[in-house]
Each structure stands twice: as C-alpha cells, then as structure tokens.
Amino acid sequence: YGTTGGQPTHAPETDFAAAAEACGLPGTTVDDLDGFVDAYREAVAHDGAALVACEVEPTDPDARPPFDYAEIKRRVRGALADD
C-alpha cells in the first residue's frame, strides 16, 4: 500500500464493508493484524465473494520506496518466498 497506494480518496468516510453488505456480500472492517487474520479466514471460508476492508495508517509520500517496477517485483517475490 505504501509503495503503490496511498492515493487520497474523495470520500474518506465511505464504509466499504457496509457498501458490500448493501450489495448482499459479507463485509468486515479491521484495523489490526489479529482482526485481519480472523476476517480473512472467514472471507475465504465463505462460499462466494466477501470484502475485508483494512484501515491503515497513511504513509508519508517522501518515505516511500522508489516506484520502480523491478524493485516492486523483487519485493513481492521476496515476500511470497517468506511465506
């Protein structure tokens, strides 16, 4: 998120979990790792689409790693290899 995301939104108060539920999908908002683990487990176990909205701290744009596709690819591959 901090590298390729962080874009401002025009509606920071949008409740994406409620929007998912209004469309008939299970939706959950989490703000910590434990909550994410539980919500993700439930979403994957659900027979169909589900949404897990994660509240994250904004990143200082100047502190982000360079937006270099080769570097992003290396970091993603490294993160997947760690799992």
Side-chain angles (χ1 to χ4, degrees):
Y1 173 79
T3 300
T4 59
Q7 297 86 0
T9 178
H10 294 288
E13 66 280 342
T14 300
D15 184 342
F16 291 103
E21 290 176 354
C23 294
L25 304 173
T28 305
T29 300
V30 298
D31 61 5
D32 62 23
L33 182 58
D34 291 334
F36 173 76
V37 170
D38 294 340
Y40 181 77
R41 187 176 291 122
E42 290 175 17
V44 170
H46 177 71
D47 185 26
L51 178 104
V52 178
C54 301
E55 299 285 336
V56 297
E57 292 294 322
T59 301
D60 176 3
D62 295 329
R64 293 181 185 158
F67 190 74
D68 174 310
Y69 289 108
E71 173 65 12
I72 292 169
K73 180 173 80 171
R74 185 194 64 72
R75 287 181 28 229
V76 168
R77 285 184 176 174
L80 292 174
D82 289 343
D83 288 342

